[in-house]
Each structure stands twice: as C-alpha cells, then as structure tokens.
Amino acid sequence: MDRNTLTGFLLIGLILVTFNIFILPKDQPSAPEKAKIAAKAAPKAELKPVGTTPATNDSALSESLGPLAALGNGNAQLVQLSNDKITVTFSNKGATPVQVLVNNYKTFEGKPLMLFKPGANRLSYHYVAGNRNISTEQLYFQIDSSRSKSGNMVFTAALDEKRYIRHTYQLEKGSFQLKHQVQVVGLGGILAPNIDYTRLSWSTSAPRQEKDLKDERNTSTAYFRFSDEEPERIDYTDYETQELKTAVKWVSFKQKFFNTSLIAEQQFDNGKVTTVLPSTDSIVKEFNAELVLPLKNPDNQIHNLSFYFGPNDYATLKEFGIGLQEMIPLGWGIFGWVNKLIVINVFDWLDTSGLSYGLVILILTIIIKLILFPFTYKSYISSAKMRILKPEIDEMKAKYENDPTRQQAEQMKLFQRAGVSPLGGCLPLLLQLPILIAMFNFFPASIELRQQPFLWATDLSTYDSVWTFGQVPIISFLYGDHVSLFALLMTASTLLYTHFNNQITGVTGQMKYIGYIMPVMFLGIMNNYSAGLSYYYLLANLITFGQQWMIRRFVDEDKLHAQIQENKKKPVKKSKWAARLEEMAKAQQQAAQQRKR
C-alpha cells in the first residue's frame, strides 16, 4: 500500500468517525482570474504553413478526372488555423481538415488530445462529369493567399477564373466552431446535367482518449437530428448502418467527452451513418456518413456548413440552439430534467468559485440534502409511528393468522384511528428517487470532472483504483480487475445506513435482508463507475446519518406515542378503501360459513 492510499484510508476513517471532511482546494486561480489569464494568453485565430509533400504527377489519376484532369496534379501542402480552443490542420489535397487538436485538454496518457490525426479523417464531395465520379479528395487546391487571412482559409481548385470549386473556412477567436463554405462556379457545362445533387462522404477513426476503453466505447456512437425533431442515435453497443431517409440538420461522431459534428445551415436531403468496431485498442470506434446536398445550379451553387470540434460541455453545445447538448446522457424523462434545470445550474455556479471539485461535490451534496430534508423528516416520523404501532400489528397478525383479508382490514382500522399512513415512510423516499437517479447520470457524463484529482483518485470522472489485480475469471467479469476505494466506502456506508434504518422502521423478514443484499450486488457496478459518483453517494449517506441523529435528538417518541393514543379516541370517518376492505372481509366470512354448512 503506497503512501497516498494510506493517507486516503486515514482521512476517510476520520470522516466516518467525526462526519467532518478536510479537503484541500485546487492550487489554481479563481474562475475570474483564469478567464483574464486565458484572454491575455489566447492567440488570435491564425494561419500557419506546416509542411509540404513532393509533387504528384499521376497520369492515370488525371485521366480518371476527365475535364478536371488539370486539377489532379500538384504539391500537397499542410496549413493550420488556430485559436485559443482548437488547432485545425488542412491539406490542400481535397481542401479538408486532416487533424484537429483540442487545446487545453490531454489524453489519459498526458498526450495532446487529437480528435483525429492525418489519415484518420476523410471528407470529400462527389460530382458526376460524364460517366466519371469525381471526388474532391483527388483534386489539388491552391491556397488563396489574397483571400486567406487571420482566422480564414480559402482553397480554390480552378480551371480558369470563371470555372472553379472553392472551399472557405473561418475560425473565430474563442470558438470550437469551424465555419465551412463550398462554392461551385461555372461548371454547368462540365457536370452531368441530370444529376441535381452532391454526395458528401465523411469517415473518421476516433482515437482513444480515456483510461477505461470499454466505458469509452459504450458511450461513443453516431448521433443525428432530423429537422425539428429530437436527436437520435445508433445504440451505443450496436455496430450498424442507419438510413437517414428524410432531411437531416446535423450528424455527430460522439465520444464520451468530445465530439466531431457536421452541421448544415439549411439541411442535408438524406443520407446514412455507420458505426464500426475497430480491430485495434488505439481506436474507440470508426464512423462513416454519406450525406446528400442539393446541386440545383452548378454555375453558382453555395453550401454553408460548419464543424464543431470540441468537448461535450452542456452549456457550450446548448448555445448552438439545435439540440447538440442532447448527446450528453443526462437521463430520460424527469431524471434528465432534474439534471438540466437544477443540478447543472447549481454545479456550474459552485464551479465559478475556483474550489476543488471534491469540495464542490461536498457543497452540492449538502444543498441537495437540505432541499430533501423535509422528505427525510416526514419519512422518519412515519417510520417512528409504525415502530410504535408494531406491537399491536404483530398482535393482529397472530390473531388473524388464518384470515389475511380480515388481518388487513383490522390493520387499516388501526392506521386510521392512529392517524398513520402505512405509505408515509415510502412516499418521501420515492420523491427523492429522481435526484438519486439524476446524479447517477450526471457524474459520469460531467466533463468538468475529467482528469480532476481528489485524494487517491486521479480522475473523478472514472473509477479510482487503489489495487489493480488483473484479469481473474468470473471475478473480473462481475467485479472488475481493480479495487475502487470510494466504491467500497460507499457500499460500507450504505450497509450501515440499512442497519440503522432497519432499527428505525422495525422491518423484519425477507425485506430486512434484501436491504443488505442490494448494496453488495451494486458494488460490482460502482467499482467501475465514476469515482465522483461513489464519493457523492458516500457523502449523501453520511449526511443522512447526521440528519437522522439530529431528528432523534429533537423528536420525543413518548410524546409521539401519546399523540397516537389520543388519535385513537377520536371518531374516524372510514375511507372508501377501508370500507371496501371491510366488505371483502365480510364476504369472505360469509362464504366460509356457507362452506362449513
């Protein structure tokens, strides 16, 4: 056991005994200071040549281009556009991005984070001239230095001044968006007149970025959005082709924390997307897309598109206003809305403080538990009342052991007289369930926690490991190849909570043991999940202990018992449910008497 791990155990032991947590803030400037530093240090979007390759003179290739043969020879050059967010490298052969570096992010190995590298991304527009299918990736474009300037890159493949294909790119300061315009001019006499569309083909091999390859693959897929509809996707664990038979607004190749998206200003007419499982662990998934753009006027046709190369940050993606943020798996239905309306806003507000993320999660947990405290209080009071009535309930069970219907009816009478709801302890817990599940989705998907250390955990967005023991048959399948200390502590605290809760509620029989089995079964999942999530659940359990201890100190159960006895003396109007139970009991008694006769 190394020094850091021992320190972690000692600190957590202190937490369990005193319910106090000592967390060091990050040695970083505050959010406003970081913004000022970034603004000063961030370079303007700039153009930079980065290399050339020898000239190409392939007569066979030129012959295949027919009337565009003159554009099939040239020198391949690499140039860059960069700002404070991304660095995009282009090749003039095809005039498309061949590499994208996301600044200020690293891979799990500490290397610069590339969304794709040369040879791993192919983007091409296909035109038909006679009986030839001409692809722009076969053409050599000239870099238009008179039009290219800071933040802009212009490539032109020209037969002459009036006949050309032009690709323009624009990268603004402080943006992950690369604007892209395709212009076809004067090719009406060259391109096939009966073809009124351009086919765009796009393929990317997404490199591995995260420590847990299995988790990264299970959270990476192709997303797309039909016009004015919710985004859809290929299932995370499927490798298939999805036909896009109607108009499409955007297509995205999404990884766990980053995505590469292609957005149409208007729409793509139709297309298809494909996900492929690669044969190497250095690639997460391979993506392919075939999209169709209209080509109504080959003498002057313009397509306005844009790329998004960057992180899956909810606020950043939401600014586009086209549903890109829905790629972040925050949960369905009410669970997703809890994250979008409450959790993300509170977390972002706390994040501006510049505190360590361990402390941010602690404060977030305290806020949530304070909001839920009224439900916790009601649940405790209801459980206390049920515990007070337990001797009478047990007596009824023994008395009407052979008559379950009568037993249930008598219990309902007792609850009504005492003013106790048998569901009073369950309903408050059910009302807390949306937040519980919302957090289960929030922490693993939160890019803010990516590579953020806390105590022995080096990355709160993935599992922490204090011991990696390797692959062991069955054990590795059910539990994993490592030990997550946060998951163990969370499980231990849940078992403790179950023990004390059983004492409070007086639960017996099978339900008593189910409460102990579930946390142990859940350990296999949490061992491979986000350390930030296990840490949150641990904190939530500890705070719940504190709340219940406080409630027990201030709630007089003798007074509560006296109140129940007073309630029994008051006349109670029967509810419809109680009346129905009584009628059922009487009917069963009459049926039994008839059988005896």
Side-chain angles (χ1 to χ4, degrees), residues 19-33:
F19 299 107
N20 292 314
I21 301 176
F22 298 95
I23 303 174
L24 294 175
K26 293 182 291 188
D27 188 16
Q28 295 180 3
S30 65
E33 291 172 342

Side-chain angles (χ1 to χ4, degrees), residues 402-403 585 587-597:
N402 298 322
D403 192 350
Q588 287 189 352
Q589 287 176 350
Q590 292 174 0
Q593 290 174 358
Q594 289 177 357
R595 285 195 297 271
K596 288 180 180 179
R597 295 195 189 99

Side-chain angles (χ1 to χ4, degrees), residues 530-582:
S530 162
L533 178 64
S534 296
Y535 171 55
Y536 165 78
Y537 283 157
L538 171 63
L539 290 175
N541 285 338
L542 297 179
I543 294 172
T544 301
F545 291 152
Q547 289 178 335
Q548 290 188 347
W549 174 82
M550 183 178 66
I551 293 171
R552 292 184 74 170
R553 288 204 56 173
F554 289 95
V555 172
D556 188 341
E557 292 195 7
D558 291 335
K559 188 175 180 180
L560 196 62
H561 185 273
Q563 180 185 346
I564 290 175
Q565 299 306 318
E566 286 296 320
N567 289 340
K568 289 181 180 180
K569 299 175 183 179
K570 298 177 182 179
V572 178
K573 183 179 179 181
K574 291 183 182 179
S575 66
K576 293 181 180 180
W577 175 246
R580 188 175 179 183
L581 285 176
E582 286 186 12

Side-chain angles (χ1 to χ4, degrees), residues 303-507:
H303 299 298
N304 289 313
L305 311 170
S306 64
F307 293 94
Y308 176 84
F309 298 125
N312 297 332
D313 178 78
Y314 187 84
T316 302
L317 295 177
K318 189 177 180 181
E319 288 179 359
F320 284 83
I322 53 176
L324 288 171
Q325 75 278 6
E326 298 301 325
M327 290 189 291
I328 303 175
L330 296 174
W332 57 271
I334 188 174
F335 313 118
W337 285 111
V338 168
N339 276 324
K340 295 171 186 176
L341 299 178
I342 302 174
V343 177
I344 288 178
N345 290 323
V346 175
F347 187 88
D348 288 347
W349 172 66
L350 292 172
D351 195 18
T352 60
S353 66
L355 298 172
S356 73
Y357 281 99
L359 190 55
V360 167
I361 294 174
L362 171 61
I363 297 172
L364 175 67
T365 310
I366 292 173
I367 292 173
I368 291 174
K369 296 302 289 185
L370 286 175
I371 294 173
L372 296 176
F373 180 73
F375 302 111
T376 303
Y377 178 80
K378 288 182 180 180
S379 179
Y380 180 90
I381 295 299
S382 181
S383 298
K385 289 180 179 180
M386 292 295 292
R387 188 172 66 254
I388 292 170
L389 291 176
K390 190 176 184 302
E392 296 181 58
I393 294 173
D394 291 341
E395 184 179 336
M396 286 183 181
K397 288 181 178 179
K399 184 176 180 180
Y400 303 108
E401 183 178 0
N402 298 322
D403 192 350
T405 305
R406 178 71 182 277
Q407 180 187 123
Q408 191 174 21
E410 292 298 325
Q411 285 184 14
M412 290 300 298
K413 287 181 182 179
L414 174 63
F415 293 149
Q416 282 190 317
R417 293 200 312 272
V420 176
S421 170
L423 299 178
C426 299
L427 289 177
L429 294 177
L430 288 175
L431 292 173
Q432 298 180 51
L433 191 62
I435 291 182
L436 185 72
I437 297 179
M439 304 308 286
F440 187 83
N441 288 283
F442 171 75
F443 283 106
S446 177
I447 193 172
E448 290 83 0
L449 299 181
R450 183 179 183 270
Q451 298 181 353
Q452 293 296 326
F454 174 62
L455 296 179
W456 57 86
T458 58
D459 186 344
L460 285 171
S461 71
T462 187
Y463 61 82
D464 60 299
S465 177
V466 294
W467 178 33
T468 301
F469 51 80
Q471 293 294 320
V472 179
I474 301 178
I475 293 178
S476 297
F477 176 76
L478 297 175
Y479 180 69
D481 62 353
H482 61 276
V483 175
S484 166
L485 183 54
F486 271 128
L488 279 178
L489 291 170
M490 184 277 297
T491 301
S493 67
T494 304
L495 291 172
L496 272 173
Y497 173 77
T498 302
H499 173 71
F500 288 119
N501 196 56
N502 286 345
Q503 290 184 335
I504 293 173
T505 59
V507 64

